Amino acid sequence: MNVVVVGAGIVGAAIARKLSMYDLNLIILEKQPEAGWGITKANSGIVHAGYDDPPGTLRASLCSRGNMMYEEMCKQLKVDFKRIGSLVVAFTGDEVKVLHELMRRGELNNVKGLKLLDREEVLSLEPRLNGNVIAALYAETAGITEPWMVAIACVENAVQNGAKFLPNTKVIGFEIVKERIRYVLTDSDKIPADVVINATGMESDLLAKLAGVYHPPLHPRRGQYILIDKNAGNIVNSVIFPTPTEDSKGILVLPTVDGGTLIGPNAEDLSDRERESVSTTLEGLREVLEKASHLVPHLPVNRVIKTFAGLRPETPSKDFYITAETSPWGFVNVGGMRSPGLTAAPAIAEYVVEYLIPEKLHISLTRKKDFNPERRKIPHPADSTPEKWHEMIARDKRWGRIVCACNEVTEMEIREAIRRGARTLDAIKFRTRAMFGKCQGGFCTHRIMKILAEETGQALEDVLKAEAGSWILNGKVRP
Amino acid sequence: MAAALGAAEQGVEVLLVEREDRNGGVLNQCIHNGFGLHYFREELTGPEYAERFMKLIESRNIRTFTGAHVWKLAPFENTAFIVSESGIYDVYFDALVVTTGARERPFGALMIPGDRPAGIFTAGLAQRFVNIENHLPGKRALILGSGDIGLIMARRLTLEGMEVVGVVERLPYPGGLERNVQQCLVDFDIPLYLSHTVTGVEGKGRLERVYISEVDDEFKPVKGTEKVFEVDTLILSVGLIPQTEILKNFVEIDPKTFGFITSNTGRTSLDSVFAAGNDVIIYDLVDYVSTEGYTAGKHAALHALRKVTPSRRIPIIPGENIGVLFPRFYEEQEDLRIYVRVRKPLENVRVVVEPGIYSRKFDRVAPNEMITFTIPSEKIPPSLNRILVEVEKDEG
């Protein structure tokens, strides 16, 4: 059985990991140089509790189930996950009514640990919140993670268990014979396939079209973000949402897993031709800052270190679109992965592999006896004890050479990230947090480029920042 | 190095910890001249200036530990935890001088809208690539910010064969020294766009386009004044941020500038911890940094030797027109060297230190040239409750 997963975002990666538990020939295709570089890279990083999805929708059931699965998954994959809880805050009587409605939805969605808090209770949890708050809905099961690391870790774990990962590979078509997929055609190869998982995020309707399969049309909804340095200290302790509207969860303030603070996103609906438009705008950033400042006044704007934008794929029905097709047989759509796609990902993987594939495609999969769910993390000695770090340095002195001083990343961590497949500066950044700190690479970019060039045998001027064309240096000053 | 020297000359044992493989910091990549006119009375390049100090510290009881990163500081336990390729060390100290300098404000802090392509460099990183790594950062560049390093990079990149299409400054006057405006821009016909800022960057993969606009008094872009530059490189010289995070939970730090708040001896709010240089305020000249480094080293040593008990600290208050002021406290065991940066250019003014301690007339002052002067300690009554520094209109 040949299974090809197209797209190594959080959803494709989670499905691939789940599939790698079974005896089959698994190939993961990704058009970017790394897993998790599309929608997955730029979102709020929240593992939602699941109270705001309309009861009865697919996204409601998969969200609350996904939330329950996160802790164990992240423990196995050695990815940071913190169950810090969330607060939806209300400033008016009408907003309090919405909180009651969310509470009711949450109960229908089987969400545990919901509580309505009064003003004093809210402010004792979050002293920096706008003092005009009158109530909040507290959800203790909400958490935060690093979305791209979940995707990278899932892919690494799948590869550990026998899957093949092909980055920089774009699917351009399918060979279909007698209503069955035979091959996936890529820009460089022809790959045999019995089952194809379409997890292509912002492009899943386009890929479905290539296979001649229906998929509701997608359009991108762009969200802009502002990141505040961890050195500003704890601004909030949990995820702070405004009261949502029918259309959007609103602009939030939340901690990141490494101690920074993220604010955003706004929501701009773009046309279906703007599927790569991750530019920020003056109005967008202003809106984020204004609305976030309403939730939490006096945000330390002088500690901002980064602004960015991400896309979410929206369908007209605003629900996930997950189907197993029989014409051609074996094409599985996993599309419309708007919020809470990150949260739902492990539950989606379970739904696709344990329900859709056996029930709809009538394939019985056999579990591997030797599946290993544990991923080995790149060690980060700055988080360990002096004794342990000392030992590591005694084994290899490169554990003692700090390359990125802001986040205390050692030379060995950089080298290990490259050995695991990082080929560009951004790939190293997302895997190690080097260049991710307060100086944003001002002090260490040249050092990391040298290590990357050395490990890969490239010339320094051939090192890229991210995608093809993102060159950094223009040759030598003198020969 | 100046602090190590100042300390060693008092007869204490000194450990100098440096995270790079070589002492000297950013001086090593500043291959232009203009250093040392005050401190050594001659004009040196950055590496030459650093080398002078390397020679000076070689002859003293100073151990240097390069390639060493201070992981944690426990100032109440007088201990530093240091990481290096030879292992982890706990180092005990009687006094500590923090001379961690400043970092460049990164692109992300400016909240400039647009794409996030390759080709956007802080001036210091670009300088590192050109002067040390022997690589050019691009072909055609625009420079944002007219601080000294931005001006110097405009010249350097031009000399090394890149095209520099202009320097953009949001203030109505340049940020760097006059002499650098003349020698780096005017002499090379590089346009300076004052009261302008970058309003957008575009590029897929690599930077392709930069948009600039004129700004009003509140630095808001003025509609209809947009210009577009087809450049593959944007160099940022948009300010330096003191590197004080390692002690942020232990000593007083200016919440606006992030600089350590110290007295004229370099002492921070903790008696045994001193700081000097660009981690306190951003200086114009390395000569000033060395002078204050030396002073902080000396007083740290005196503290370690328990030769003096900290005297009463008299607060120094910034008054009218003062943008940057050093020091923020006065201790009587050292003369009072004051460094002042005014908020805006002014003519016919008087710099005064109250009550009646100092007064001097200036025809013209501007934020890009610091004013510095020394008041001997015997001229300051120790009973003062506060000292006020202001720049006022000269009525005479």
Side-chain angles (χ1 to χ4, degrees), chain A residues 279 307 401 408 461 471 474, chain B residues 69 85 115-116 136 206:
Chain A
S279 314
T307 59
R401 285 194 203 135
E408 300 181 310
E461 54 265 42
W471 56 275
N474 167 36
Chain B
H69 170 87
E85 62 175 37
D115 301 327
R116 299 293 169 258
L136 281 175
R206 178 77 185 199

Side-chain angles (χ1 to χ4, degrees), chain B residues 10 23 79 151 203 218 357 372:
Chain B
Q10 298 300 318
N23 287 332
T79 308
L151 301 175
E218 291 170 338
I357 297 168
T372 175

Side-chain angles (χ1 to χ4, degrees), chain A residues 226 229-233 276 278-282 285-286 289 301-308 381-386 389-390 393 397-402 404-406 408 438-447 449-450 460-461 465 467-479, chain B residues 19-20 67 69-72 81 83-90 102-119 121-122 124-125 128-131 133-139 156 160 162 199 204-206 220-221 232-233 241 243-245 248 253 255-258:
Chain A
I226 298 172
D229 181 28
K230 62 181 171 190
N231 284 295
E276 290 179 3
V278 287
S279 314
T280 56
T281 62
L282 189 62
L285 294 173
R286 232 180 241 166
L289 205 53
V301 188
N302 58 356
R303 288 286 195 185
V304 168
I305 51 171
K306 180 105 191 150
T307 59
F308 60 94
D383 282 345
S384 69
T385 61
W389 198 349
H390 194 81
I393 297 169
K397 63 185 182 184
R398 292 173 297 182
W399 286 116
R401 285 194 203 135
I402 299 289
C404 161
C406 299
E408 300 181 310
K438 57 188 185 284
C439 89
Q440 292 281 298
F443 283 125
C444 62
T445 299
H446 65 279
R447 258 183 292 219
M449 285 175 72
K450 277 197 246 179
L460 199 61
E461 54 265 42
K465 176 180 182 278
E467 68 271 47
S470 61
W471 56 275
I472 300 164
L473 294 174
N474 167 36
K476 290 199 167 62
V477 177
R478 23 189 140 287
Chain B
R19 72 182 189 195
E20 297 283 332
H69 170 87
V70 177
W71 180 27
K72 277 173 191 155
F81 297 93
V83 180
S84 77
E85 62 175 37
S86 58
I88 309 261
Y89 299 86
D90 334 348
R103 64 176 173 274
E104 298 176 279
R105 178 167 290 120
F107 176 74
L110 306 177
M111 293 198 260
I112 293 173
D115 301 327
R116 299 293 169 258
F121 299 85
T122 58
L125 182 60
R128 168 98 205 183
F129 279 128
V130 175
N131 292 350
E133 312 297 341
N134 192 31
H135 277 82
L136 281 175
K139 297 163 192 159
R156 182 100 230 116
E160 298 300 359
M162 276 178 70
T199 51
K204 224 182 156 244
R206 178 77 185 199
K220 294 221 171 84
D232 57 36
T233 307
I241 305 168
Q243 297 245 88
T244 51
E245 286 76 9
K248 68 172 191 242
I253 288 169
K256 283 210 179 84
T257 65
F258 302 133

Side-chain angles (χ1 to χ4, degrees), chain B residues 127-304:
Chain B
Q127 187 181 47
R128 168 98 205 183
F129 279 128
V130 175
N131 292 350
I132 296 192
E133 312 297 341
N134 192 31
H135 277 82
L136 281 175
K139 297 163 192 159
R140 202 161 189 265
L142 182 72
I143 294 176
L144 173 59
S146 60
D148 286 313
I149 183 172
L151 301 175
I152 281 156
M153 283 312 291
R155 174 176 66 185
R156 182 100 230 116
L157 295 177
T158 306
L159 289 173
E160 298 300 359
M162 276 178 70
E163 188 186 350
V164 177
V165 300
V167 174
V168 178
E169 169 60 55
R170 69 174 193 160
L171 292 168
Y173 46 84
L177 299 171
E178 270 322 315
R179 70 171 196 222
N180 283 332
V181 176
Q182 182 62 42
Q183 293 167 13
C184 300
L185 299 189
V186 179
D187 290 358
F188 291 88
D189 293 324
I190 298 170
L192 174 60
Y193 297 93
L194 295 173
S195 298
H196 276 72
T197 196
V198 169
T199 51
V201 292
E202 260 178 34
K204 224 182 156 244
R206 178 77 185 199
L207 181 67
E208 292 161 33
R209 228 160 283 107
V210 175
Y211 295 85
I212 75 167
S213 273
E214 225 175 291
V215 292
D216 62 19
D217 296 344
E218 291 170 338
F219 303 123
K220 294 221 171 84
V222 178
K223 272 204 179 115
T225 60
E226 190 174 86
K227 286 189 185 66
V228 190
F229 292 96
E230 306 279 331
V231 289
D232 57 36
T233 307
L234 176 64
I235 306 280
L236 306 174
S237 166
V238 288
L240 300 173
I241 305 168
Q243 297 245 88
T244 51
E245 286 76 9
I246 188 136
L247 280 173
K248 68 172 191 242
N249 298 325
F250 301 103
V251 304
E252 215 182 324
I253 288 169
D254 185 310
K256 283 210 179 84
T257 65
F258 302 133
F260 288 120
I261 291 179
T262 75
S263 70
N264 57 325
T265 62
R267 196 189 306 271
T268 66
S269 55
L270 262 184
D271 282 348
S272 60
V273 177
F274 295 73
N278 283 347
D279 58 9
V280 177
I281 59 164
I282 305 302
Y283 288 92
D284 282 358
L285 300 178
V286 70
D287 307 65
Y288 299 161
V289 169
S290 301
T291 301
E292 295 315 315
Y294 184 91
T295 304
K298 175 179 118 187
H299 287 280
L302 292 174
H303 180 89

Side-chain angles (χ1 to χ4, degrees), chain A residues 219-391:
Chain A
H219 78 268
R221 175 174 269 204
R222 183 168 65 191
Q224 302 185 29
Y225 290 93
I226 298 172
L227 179 64
I228 298 170
D229 181 28
K230 62 181 171 190
N231 284 295
N234 271 12
I235 296 169
V236 291
N237 305 306
S238 50
V239 182
I240 311 295
F241 293 94
T243 302
T245 59
E246 264 318 299
D247 209 40
S248 155
K249 291 194 182 85
I251 287 170
L252 348 162
V253 180
L254 70 144
T256 62
V257 281
D258 61 337
T261 303
L262 187 63
I263 65 175
N266 65 340
E268 305 159 77
D269 288 303
L270 306 182
S271 83
D272 66 349
R273 290 176 311 280
E274 297 171 282
R275 295 176 192 238
E276 290 179 3
S277 181
V278 287
S279 314
T280 56
T281 62
L282 189 62
E283 303 72 37
L285 294 173
R286 232 180 241 166
E287 183 191 356
V288 166
L289 205 53
E290 235 165 66
K291 292 192 174 159
S293 301
H294 176 66
L295 286 182
V296 182
H298 314 298
L299 288 165
V301 188
N302 58 356
R303 288 286 195 185
V304 168
I305 51 171
K306 180 105 191 150
T307 59
F308 60 94
L311 302 175
R312 292 155 269 175
E314 289 285 357
T315 62
S317 72
K318 296 194 190 313
D319 201 357
F320 298 159
Y321 185 73
I322 307 178
T323 62
E325 302 292 329
T326 47
S327 173
W329 185 88
F331 191 88
V332 179
N333 276 314
V334 192
M337 289 299 149
R338 67 188 309 278
S339 176
L342 171 68
T343 312
I348 293 168
E350 186 181 68
Y351 177 78
V352 168
V353 177
E354 289 180 5
Y355 170 71
L356 280 188
I357 291 179
E359 299 296 321
K360 300 286 170 179
L361 298 178
H362 308 290
I363 299 171
S364 58
L365 296 171
T366 334
R367 271 195 183 252
K368 281 178 193 156
K369 285 190 193 73
D370 56 350
F371 172 75
N372 176 8
E374 303 284 332
R375 163 185 174 259
R376 208 174 54 82
K377 175 189 169 134
I378 300 179
H380 181 54
D383 282 345
S384 69
T385 61
E387 295 74 27
K388 262 212 177 119
W389 198 349
H390 194 81
E391 255 170 52

